[in-house]
Amino acid sequence: MAPDPSRRFLSLFRPEQRRCTIVAGLMVASVLAEVTIPYFTGHVTDWVASEDEMVAISSLALLGLTSAITEFICDATYTGTLSRVFGHLHGRVFAAVLRRDLLSLRALGAGAVTSRVTTDVDVTHEAVANALLLLLWELARATLLLVPMAWVAPALATTTLLAMPVLLLLARAMGSVQQGLSQRVQEALAGATRVAMETFQAMATVRGFSFEAGAAKRYLQQLQQVHRLEATQAITYAATGWTSGFLALALKLGLLYYGGQMVAAGTITTGDLVTFLIYQTQFSSTVEVLLRYYPRMTKAVGSSEKIFEFLDEDEQRAPEGTLEPKVQGHLKLEDVWFSYPEQQEPVLKGVSLELLPGQVLAVVGAPGTGKSTLVSLVLRLIEPHRGRVLLDGHPLPAYRHLHLRQQVAVVPQEPLLFSRSLHANISYGSGGRSRAQVTAAARRAGADPFISRLPRGYDTEVGDLGTQLSGGQRQAVAIARALVRDPRVLVLDEPTSALDAKTSMQVEQEVLSAGRSVLLVTGRVALALRAQRVAVLAGGRLRELGNPTELLRPENRCWEPPEDGDTADQDGDTERWDGDTGSRDGDTENMDGDMKR
Ligand SMILES: Nc1ncnc2c1ncn2[C@@H]1O[C@H](COP(=O)(O)OP(=O)(O)OP(=O)(O)O)[C@@H](O)[C@H]1O
Ligand SMILES: [Mg+2]
């Protein structure tokens, strides 16, 4: 069963128990001083009459000052505590995002994820900062006001208390409506953020297809939904205030009538009735504030629920592995099956492969056959649905995450760089590398020539460069990023597709001949020929596995030459893997040319 949301919410404050106790203590002290003031006020004239003005003035001043000072310290402590609690929550949610598996993050969408880390936490923080403190003050005030009320006129105090459940039930009912509405507002806001982010990320495409008006309309539709929900929220809020105000008035009239009859019967004096009514008026306004702010508080709890759902999923994750051995680089896939959530048909259907230490295994296949999916599995970005991926005989989840990342490095098919300096991008996640190490890696990756030509060299901010960095340059930086770690296993997904012929030859030489294990996904025949073994993927299965010179021979059934002779690029090896559908009567000269290299 899901835990009670309010209790979950309060559990956020558990680490700050000591500060919360201080806040509660200060609050009670301040309210006590405040509630006592009317009592002393009544006696001021008596003291003045007995020429004891100093006592009167000093006791009143002392009470007022105590109340004000304790209130000030209480507010300051409370704000500080909240800031710590929510700062910690921000951090927890962000860490949960970083640990979450990529597929579910993708399914959730960048908008919702960003919302969870930023807006949801902020909305909850703001609501709590405004509502919770006030609620606590008023609660303390109401409780302490009841004491003199019961002292002066017990029967009237009991009548007041008996009317309370009606008011509280109303507040509770309205509160749960507000809570539901607030969750829906959060969802609608996340939807609007998603549309905005998608549009901004694909600005070039939006412009290119003149979809500006369409994008604006989509965003507007999302916002309209937010407005509709917020309007309903405002109406519910106003209705709550109006109903509770009306009920409070009815109670007061009842008390006046009942009190009047008691005075007439001589049960209480007129003075007692007046004193009681002064306290009761204060009590009613306190309860009114409580009722008004209670829904705001439930709104905060509503917003926090989404955050908790997210954190709960994080807690259900299997614990991280502990292995940290020296890795030889023996990678093995055993009957691996995988399908994406949105697709019925598995992308990989029982693939078994082995990459021996120090060897190069090329994986080739038509576009969409699951090569990059295989790469993601080897990197443990996704988990196989069936079967296992082993490194040196141990399943990947058994390794410590950080250790695995240090041993297995990747050059992804579409490398992304961060808006930091080129140095920071190359040494990204490798625990800080010296300029000499970074430069050496960049040289081996063919990135040094273009970086050296930049006015600020390795300190150039990639963000400043923006889109000025070409696809090839990005790829070269990504190769340097992988090489600087000196990994035991290098996973390359079309690593040199965007490099020029000379650089790609140099880089290929560099990456393939360092004595480490390399899993090389490529559509280029010339590159695949450099591997010790080639695996051919087709229809999600391993179709062939063997010696590249044999497998990639033109007469072999799984090799399809390019349909036209358009291989006359710089190095004449642009044959791509075209899959297994076409005829085989193509141009075999290209193949020979490749095999010679
Ligand atoms: N995140 C995803 N969600 C759903 N389906 C996906 C996802 N990524 C890939 N696919 C699907 O899985 C299949 C294999 O994709 P994958 O990227 O592994 O192919 P590939 O062999 O690397 O292709 P290419 O040679 O074009 O890079 C494709 O049909 C693709 O549509
Ligand atoms: Mg791919």
Side-chain angles (χ1 to χ4, degrees):
M1 211 179 73
D4 176 15
S6 318
R7 205 167 287 169
R8 285 294 307 263
F9 178 77
L10 288 177
S11 72
L12 284 178
F13 293 85
R14 202 168 294 143
E16 300 292 336
Q17 235 165 8
R18 220 164 56 90
R19 281 164 168 262
C20 292
T21 318
I22 295 176
V23 169
L26 288 170
M27 199 172 267
V28 172
S30 173
V31 173
L32 254 180
E34 191 188 313
V35 171
T36 326
I37 289 176
Y39 174 80
F40 277 93
T41 317
H43 290 74
V44 165
T45 39
D46 297 346
W47 282 323
V48 171
S50 59
E51 296 187 352
D52 222 354
E53 298 97 333
M54 276 320 286
V55 178
I57 294 168
S58 54
S59 14
L60 271 183
L62 193 69
L63 280 174
L65 209 65
T66 311
S67 174
I69 291 176
T70 41
E71 183 171 344
F72 173 76
I73 302 176
C74 175
D75 280 358
T77 319
Y78 176 78
T79 312
T81 310
L82 272 195
S83 171
R84 286 159 69 103
V85 166
F86 284 93
H88 181 65
L89 185 63
H90 263 300
R92 264 176 76 192
V93 181
F94 192 73
V97 172
L98 292 183
R99 279 193 297 265
R100 206 169 161 128
D101 78 284
L102 291 184
L103 288 180
S104 73
L105 276 183
R106 241 177 249 158
L108 207 60
V113 176
T114 315
S115 226
R116 214 85 339 137
V117 181
T118 55
T119 332
D120 286 1
V121 180
D122 286 340
V123 165
T124 313
H125 186 171
E126 206 185 294
V128 172
N130 293 331
L132 186 63
L133 182 66
L134 207 89
L135 275 183
L136 291 175
W137 273 117
E138 299 305 323
L139 204 64
R141 216 164 264 152
T143 317
L144 292 177
L145 278 170
L146 273 175
V147 180
M149 279 165 69
W151 182 264
V152 176
L156 292 179
T158 314
T159 316
T160 309
L161 273 184
L162 285 177
M164 283 304 113
V166 182
L167 288 174
L168 293 180
L169 277 179
L170 172 82
R172 211 187 154 86
M174 290 305 201
S176 67
V177 174
Q178 286 275 7
Q179 198 168 326
L181 275 171
S182 135
Q183 260 214 41
R184 287 173 59 199
V185 169
Q186 297 296 107
E187 276 160 21
L189 272 174
T193 315
R194 188 167 51 236
V195 172
M197 285 183 66
E198 252 173 36
T199 312
F200 298 151
Q201 276 163 1
M203 209 56 178
T205 318
V206 172
R207 292 255 168 88
F209 289 86
S210 315
F211 193 63
E212 289 95 333
K217 195 170 153 205
R218 266 188 73 200
Y219 188 58
L220 208 67
Q221 279 169 349
Q222 293 284 341
L223 283 187
Q224 273 165 354
Q225 203 197 340
V226 176
H227 292 328
R228 268 196 298 275
L229 285 168
E230 280 180 343
T232 319
Q233 234 179 354
I235 292 170
T236 328
Y237 184 64
T240 317
W242 186 82
T243 320
S244 60
F246 179 78
L247 287 175
L249 187 68
L251 173 66
K252 182 160 278 173
L253 285 174
L255 284 173
L256 270 176
Y257 177 75
Y258 184 37
Q261 285 199 335
M262 282 169 80
V263 171
T267 324
I268 56 168
T269 64
T270 318
D272 284 344
L273 180 61
V274 171
T275 312
F276 176 84
L277 285 176
I278 291 173
Y279 274 119
Q280 204 277 335
T281 309
Q282 284 187 16
F283 180 80
S284 305
S285 58
T286 301
V287 171
E288 222 173 290
V289 177
L290 270 178
L291 295 184
R292 189 145 22 99
Y293 278 85
Y294 181 74
R296 288 200 196 172
M297 198 53 227
T298 48
K299 184 176 160 184
V301 176
S303 340
S304 72
E305 254 183 285
K306 283 237 151 294
I307 306 170
F308 285 124
E309 273 172 27
F310 200 74
L311 290 177
D312 283 348
E313 284 166 30
D314 183 50
E315 276 164 20
Q316 282 157 12
R317 277 164 33 92
E320 190 185 351
T322 50
L323 287 186
E324 286 183 87
K326 194 168 164 11
V327 167
Q328 300 298 316
H330 182 190
L331 194 70
K332 200 169 173 192
L333 274 77
E334 281 181 357
D335 187 30
V336 166
W337 289 72
F338 183 82
S339 54
Y340 286 101
E342 313 87 86
Q343 289 174 356
Q344 297 283 317
E345 173 89 4
V347 176
L348 296 177
K349 302 171 190 161
V351 174
S352 297
L353 273 181
E354 194 168 8
L355 166 62
L356 296 174
Q359 288 209 344
V360 179
L361 170 69
V363 177
V364 295
T369 38
K371 304 185 295 294
S372 296
T373 306
L374 194 104
V375 165
S376 301
L377 283 162
V378 166
L379 293 167
R380 228 199 136 203
L381 299 177
I382 51 180
E383 303 285 346
H385 293 171
R386 242 168 71 191
R388 301 191 300 171
V389 184
L390 306 164
L391 179 63
D392 287 358
H394 304 290
L396 294 188
Y399 283 88
R400 245 194 87 209
H401 182 76
L402 197 65
H403 187 67
L404 195 64
R405 294 284 172 262
Q406 274 156 3
Q407 304 298 321
V408 185
V410 63
V411 179
Q413 190 166 11
E414 284 160 12
L416 282 179
L417 302 184
F418 295 92
S419 59
R420 304 166 71 177
S421 71
L422 282 163
H423 178 105
N425 266 289
I426 293 175
S427 61
Y428 187 78
S430 59
R433 298 284 155 145
S434 69
R435 179 55 55 89
Q437 286 170 314
V438 165
T439 314
R443 261 194 209 117
R444 286 155 64 201
D448 184 63
F450 95 84
I451 297 177
S452 309
R453 279 199 299 274
L454 294 166
R456 295 190 59 215
Y458 285 84
D459 293 321
T460 311
E461 289 286 324
V462 175
D464 294 345
L465 286 175
T467 45
Q468 290 164 26
L469 215 59
S470 76
Q473 288 168 338
R474 254 201 305 274
Q475 202 162 47
V477 173
I479 295 170
R481 179 164 64 189
L483 290 180
V484 82
R485 300 164 169 247
D486 196 19
R488 290 309 305 147
V489 182
L490 193 55
V491 182
L492 309 166
D493 195 351
E494 305 280 6
T496 53
S497 59
L499 299 186
D500 66 84
K502 189 162 151 269
T503 316
S504 68
M505 268 177 69
Q506 175 209 326
V507 171
E508 284 157 22
Q509 188 68 28
E510 193 64 59
V511 263
L512 301 182
S513 59
R516 60 169 76 86
S517 318
V518 178
L519 182 73
L520 171 66
V521 169
T522 183
R524 295 171 67 186
V525 177
L527 192 53
L529 278 168
R530 295 191 172 185
Q532 271 89 15
R533 292 205 301 167
V534 171
V536 182
L537 282 186
R541 293 184 195 278
L542 180 66
R543 182 149 166 202
E544 304 276 352
L545 179 67
N547 183 313
T549 36
E550 267 178 30
L551 269 184
L552 302 180
R553 261 212 308 266
E555 62 273 20
N556 192 309
R557 52 185 274 271
C558 64
W559 157 244
E560 298 297 335
E563 283 174 1
D564 48 14
D566 67 348
T567 54
D569 103 329
Q570 305 101 320
D571 62 344
D573 81 346
T574 53
E575 297 96 321
R576 305 284 311 174
W577 202 261
D578 275 352
D580 52 2
T581 47
S583 69
R584 250 179 295 115
D585 55 356
D587 174 8
T588 52
E589 265 177 29
N590 291 321
M591 187 63 201
D592 293 345
D594 277 335
M595 289 172 73
K596 274 186 224 122
R597 283 186 41 203

